[in-house]
PDB file of all heavy atoms in Angstrom:
ATOM      1  N   ALA W 206       0.490  -8.624 -13.840  1.00 97.00           N
ATOM      2  CA  ALA W 206      -0.339  -7.486 -14.007  1.00 97.00           C
ATOM      3  C   ALA W 206      -1.012  -7.317 -12.764  1.00 97.00           C
ATOM      4  O   ALA W 206      -1.543  -8.224 -12.078  1.00 97.00           O
ATOM      5  CB  ALA W 206      -1.419  -7.853 -15.081  1.00 97.00           C
ATOM      6  N   GLY W 207      -1.101  -5.949 -12.173  1.00 98.00           N
ATOM      7  CA  GLY W 207      -1.833  -5.698 -11.024  1.00 98.00           C
ATOM      8  C   GLY W 207      -1.254  -4.396 -10.510  1.00 98.00           C
ATOM      9  O   GLY W 207      -0.303  -3.878 -11.274  1.00 98.00           O
ATOM     10  N   CYS W 208      -1.681  -3.849  -9.337  1.00 98.00           N
ATOM     11  CA  CYS W 208      -1.186  -2.648  -8.866  1.00 98.00           C
ATOM     12  C   CYS W 208       0.329  -2.530  -8.763  1.00 98.00           C
ATOM     13  O   CYS W 208       1.017  -1.568  -9.223  1.00 98.00           O
ATOM     14  CB  CYS W 208      -1.844  -2.222  -7.653  1.00 98.00           C
ATOM     15  SG  CYS W 208      -3.528  -1.741  -7.787  1.00 98.00           S
ATOM     16  N   MET W 209       1.037  -3.595  -8.120  1.00 98.00           N
ATOM     17  CA  MET W 209       2.360  -3.426  -7.823  1.00 98.00           C
ATOM     18  C   MET W 209       3.274  -3.439  -9.053  1.00 98.00           C
ATOM     19  O   MET W 209       4.321  -2.788  -9.015  1.00 98.00           O
ATOM     20  CB  MET W 209       2.944  -4.552  -6.811  1.00 98.00           C
ATOM     21  CG  MET W 209       2.254  -4.369  -5.453  1.00 98.00           C
ATOM     22  SD  MET W 209       2.568  -2.725  -4.740  1.00 98.00           S
ATOM     23  CE  MET W 209       0.878  -2.063  -4.939  1.00 98.00           C
ATOM     24  N   PHE W 230      -0.573 -12.071 -16.351  1.00 98.00           N
ATOM     25  CA  PHE W 230      -1.443 -12.205 -15.186  1.00 98.00           C
ATOM     26  C   PHE W 230      -1.567 -13.480 -14.371  1.00 98.00           C
ATOM     27  O   PHE W 230      -1.530 -13.654 -13.260  1.00 98.00           O
ATOM     28  CB  PHE W 230      -2.880 -11.763 -15.623  1.00 98.00           C
ATOM     29  CG  PHE W 230      -3.735 -11.245 -14.534  1.00 98.00           C
ATOM     30  CD1 PHE W 230      -3.279 -10.906 -13.204  1.00 98.00           C
ATOM     31  CD2 PHE W 230      -5.152 -11.068 -14.777  1.00 98.00           C
ATOM     32  CE1 PHE W 230      -4.193 -10.531 -12.235  1.00 98.00           C
ATOM     33  CE2 PHE W 230      -5.988 -10.657 -13.837  1.00 98.00           C
ATOM     34  CZ  PHE W 230      -5.557 -10.279 -12.507  1.00 98.00           C
ATOM     35  N   GLY W 261      -1.578 -10.021  -6.316  1.00 98.00           N
ATOM     36  CA  GLY W 261      -2.690  -9.570  -5.656  1.00 98.00           C
ATOM     37  C   GLY W 261      -3.658 -10.754  -5.530  1.00 98.00           C
ATOM     38  O   GLY W 261      -3.436 -11.840  -5.961  1.00 98.00           O
ATOM     39  N   ASP W 262      -4.850 -10.446  -4.902  1.00 98.00           N
ATOM     40  CA  ASP W 262      -5.745 -11.539  -4.590  1.00 98.00           C
ATOM     41  C   ASP W 262      -6.400 -12.058  -5.882  1.00 98.00           C
ATOM     42  O   ASP W 262      -6.572 -13.298  -5.975  1.00 98.00           O
ATOM     43  CB  ASP W 262      -6.880 -10.951  -3.716  1.00 98.00           C
ATOM     44  CG  ASP W 262      -7.499  -9.609  -4.082  1.00 98.00           C
ATOM     45  OD1 ASP W 262      -6.699  -8.714  -3.822  1.00 98.00           O
ATOM     46  OD2 ASP W 262      -8.441  -9.615  -4.514  1.00 98.00           O
ATOM     47  N   GLY W 263      -6.676 -11.403  -6.893  1.00 98.00           N
ATOM     48  CA  GLY W 263      -7.144 -11.705  -8.257  1.00 98.00           C
ATOM     49  C   GLY W 263      -6.122 -12.547  -8.818  1.00 98.00           C
ATOM     50  O   GLY W 263      -6.382 -13.649  -9.261  1.00 98.00           O
ATOM     51  N   GLY W 264      -4.917 -12.024  -8.869  1.00 98.00           N
ATOM     52  CA  GLY W 264      -3.742 -12.799  -9.587  1.00 98.00           C
ATOM     53  C   GLY W 264      -3.374 -14.103  -8.907  1.00 98.00           C
ATOM     54  O   GLY W 264      -2.729 -15.065  -9.368  1.00 98.00           O
ATOM     55  N   ILE W 268      -7.157 -16.132 -11.239  1.00 98.00           N
ATOM     56  CA  ILE W 268      -6.381 -16.505 -12.450  1.00 98.00           C
ATOM     57  C   ILE W 268      -5.134 -17.264 -12.321  1.00 98.00           C
ATOM     58  O   ILE W 268      -4.643 -17.996 -13.078  1.00 98.00           O
ATOM     59  CB  ILE W 268      -6.293 -15.275 -13.414  1.00 98.00           C
ATOM     60  CG1 ILE W 268      -5.963 -15.719 -14.835  1.00 98.00           C
ATOM     61  CG2 ILE W 268      -5.259 -14.315 -12.833  1.00 98.00           C
ATOM     62  CD1 ILE W 268      -5.961 -14.602 -15.940  1.00 98.00           C
ATOM     63  N   TYR W 288      -0.489 -10.316  -1.697  1.00 98.00           N
ATOM     64  CA  TYR W 288      -0.951  -8.969  -0.985  1.00 98.00           C
ATOM     65  C   TYR W 288      -2.370  -8.912  -1.261  1.00 98.00           C
ATOM     66  O   TYR W 288      -2.830  -8.769  -2.357  1.00 98.00           O
ATOM     67  CB  TYR W 288      -0.226  -7.774  -1.357  1.00 98.00           C
ATOM     68  CG  TYR W 288      -0.248  -7.366  -2.824  1.00 98.00           C
ATOM     69  CD1 TYR W 288      -1.273  -6.499  -3.187  1.00 98.00           C
ATOM     70  CD2 TYR W 288       0.622  -7.879  -3.713  1.00 98.00           C
ATOM     71  CE1 TYR W 288      -1.291  -6.093  -4.552  1.00 98.00           C
ATOM     72  CE2 TYR W 288       0.599  -7.591  -5.115  1.00 98.00           C
ATOM     73  CZ  TYR W 288      -0.306  -6.639  -5.472  1.00 98.00           C
ATOM     74  OH  TYR W 288      -0.551  -6.279  -6.784  1.00 98.00           O
ATOM     75  N   ASN W 290      -5.618  -7.103  -1.246  1.00 98.00           N
ATOM     76  CA  ASN W 290      -6.586  -5.977  -0.993  1.00 98.00           C
ATOM     77  C   ASN W 290      -8.013  -6.178  -1.322  1.00 98.00           C
ATOM     78  O   ASN W 290      -8.699  -5.225  -1.499  1.00 98.00           O
ATOM     79  CB  ASN W 290      -5.962  -4.727  -1.776  1.00 98.00           C
ATOM     80  CG  ASN W 290      -5.724  -5.059  -3.211  1.00 98.00           C
ATOM     81  OD1 ASN W 290      -6.470  -6.014  -3.815  1.00 98.00           O
ATOM     82  ND2 ASN W 290      -4.710  -4.427  -3.946  1.00 98.00           N
ATOM     83  N   ALA W 292      -9.823  -7.144  -3.838  1.00 98.00           N
ATOM     84  CA  ALA W 292     -10.607  -6.848  -5.174  1.00 98.00           C
ATOM     85  C   ALA W 292      -9.482  -6.694  -6.273  1.00 98.00           C
ATOM     86  O   ALA W 292      -8.263  -6.520  -6.004  1.00 98.00           O
ATOM     87  CB  ALA W 292     -11.431  -5.559  -5.016  1.00 98.00           C
ATOM     88  N   TYR W 293      -9.852  -6.651  -7.459  1.00 98.00           N
ATOM     89  CA  TYR W 293      -9.032  -6.228  -8.559  1.00 98.00           C
ATOM     90  C   TYR W 293      -8.953  -4.725  -8.584  1.00 98.00           C
ATOM     91  O   TYR W 293      -9.712  -4.009  -9.191  1.00 98.00           O
ATOM     92  CB  TYR W 293      -9.620  -6.764  -9.891  1.00 98.00           C
ATOM     93  CG  TYR W 293      -9.692  -8.197 -10.141  1.00 98.00           C
ATOM     94  CD1 TYR W 293     -10.660  -8.990  -9.434  1.00 98.00           C
ATOM     95  CD2 TYR W 293      -8.909  -8.938 -10.955  1.00 98.00           C
ATOM     96  CE1 TYR W 293     -10.817 -10.430  -9.575  1.00 98.00           C
ATOM     97  CE2 TYR W 293      -8.886 -10.283 -11.305  1.00 98.00           C
ATOM     98  CZ  TYR W 293      -9.902 -10.916 -10.439  1.00 98.00           C
ATOM     99  OH  TYR W 293      -9.946 -12.350 -10.560  1.00 98.00           O
ATOM    100  N   MET W 294      -7.873  -4.256  -7.915  1.00 98.00           N
ATOM    101  CA  MET W 294      -7.867  -2.866  -7.656  1.00 98.00           C
ATOM    102  C   MET W 294      -7.305  -2.072  -8.997  1.00 98.00           C
ATOM    103  O   MET W 294      -7.745  -0.924  -9.321  1.00 98.00           O
ATOM    104  CB  MET W 294      -6.952  -2.482  -6.567  1.00 98.00           C
ATOM    105  CG  MET W 294      -7.577  -2.884  -5.182  1.00 98.00           C
ATOM    106  SD  MET W 294      -9.289  -2.374  -5.012  1.00 98.00           S
ATOM    107  CE  MET W 294      -9.745  -2.945  -3.378  1.00 98.00           C
ATOM    108  N   ASN W 295      -6.264  -2.717  -9.594  1.00 98.00           N
ATOM    109  CA  ASN W 295      -5.766  -1.979 -10.718  1.00 98.00           C
ATOM    110  C   ASN W 295      -6.533  -1.610 -11.900  1.00 98.00           C
ATOM    111  O   ASN W 295      -6.289  -0.692 -12.598  1.00 98.00           O
ATOM    112  CB  ASN W 295      -4.346  -2.803 -11.143  1.00 98.00           C
ATOM    113  CG  ASN W 295      -3.511  -2.038 -12.036  1.00 98.00           C
ATOM    114  OD1 ASN W 295      -3.303  -2.303 -13.187  1.00 98.00           O
ATOM    115  ND2 ASN W 295      -3.152  -0.711 -11.618  1.00 98.00           N
ATOM    116  N   THR W 296      -7.634  -2.458 -12.090  1.00 98.00           N
ATOM    117  CA  THR W 296      -8.512  -2.219 -13.163  1.00 98.00           C
ATOM    118  C   THR W 296      -9.760  -1.498 -12.753  1.00 98.00           C
ATOM    119  O   THR W 296     -10.825  -1.451 -13.565  1.00 98.00           O
ATOM    120  CB  THR W 296      -8.847  -3.506 -13.907  1.00 98.00           C
ATOM    121  OG1 THR W 296      -8.906  -4.552 -12.925  1.00 98.00           O
ATOM    122  CG2 THR W 296      -7.674  -3.912 -14.889  1.00 98.00           C
TER     123      THR W 296
HETATM  124  C1  LIG A 690      -5.125 -12.252 -18.945  1.00 87.19           C
HETATM  125  C2  LIG A 690      -5.432 -10.855 -18.324  1.00 87.19           C
HETATM  126  N1  LIG A 690      -6.721 -10.562 -18.000  1.00 87.19           N
HETATM  127  C3  LIG A 690      -6.933  -9.350 -17.460  1.00 87.19           C
HETATM  128  C4  LIG A 690      -5.922  -8.397 -17.392  1.00 87.19           C
HETATM  129  C5  LIG A 690      -6.346  -6.946 -16.816  1.00 87.19           C
HETATM  130  N2  LIG A 690      -5.785  -6.743 -15.533  1.00 87.19           N
HETATM  131  C6  LIG A 690      -4.654  -6.153 -15.317  1.00 87.19           C
HETATM  132  S1  LIG A 690      -4.231  -5.836 -13.700  1.00 87.19           S
HETATM  133  C7  LIG A 690      -5.812  -6.595 -13.158  1.00 87.19           C
HETATM  134  C8  LIG A 690      -6.316  -6.430 -11.829  1.00 87.19           C
HETATM  135  C9  LIG A 690      -5.443  -7.249 -10.841  1.00 87.19           C
HETATM  136  O1  LIG A 690      -6.054  -7.556  -9.617  1.00 87.19           O
HETATM  137  P1  LIG A 690      -5.278  -8.199  -8.454  1.00 87.19           P
HETATM  138  O2  LIG A 690      -4.572  -9.425  -8.858  1.00 87.19           O
HETATM  139  O3  LIG A 690      -6.228  -8.346  -7.298  1.00 87.19           O
HETATM  140  O4  LIG A 690      -4.126  -7.126  -8.001  1.00 87.19           O
HETATM  141  P2  LIG A 690      -4.284  -5.599  -7.626  1.00 87.19           P
HETATM  142  O5  LIG A 690      -4.563  -4.807  -8.924  1.00 87.19           O
HETATM  143  O6  LIG A 690      -5.368  -5.422  -6.669  1.00 87.19           O
HETATM  144  O7  LIG A 690      -2.946  -5.306  -7.177  1.00 87.19           O
HETATM  145  C10 LIG A 690      -6.446  -7.074 -14.331  1.00 87.19           C
HETATM  146  C11 LIG A 690      -7.899  -7.640 -14.336  1.00 87.19           C
HETATM  147  C12 LIG A 690      -4.692  -8.790 -17.673  1.00 87.19           C
HETATM  148  N3  LIG A 690      -3.675  -8.010 -17.614  1.00 87.19           N
HETATM  149  N4  LIG A 690      -4.300 -10.090 -18.219  1.00 87.19           N
END
Side-chain angles (χ1 to χ4, degrees):
C208 287
M209 290 309 106
F230 196 17
D262 44 288
I268 195 170
Y288 60 93
N290 53 27
Y293 292 77
M294 293 309 182
N295 191 236
T296 38

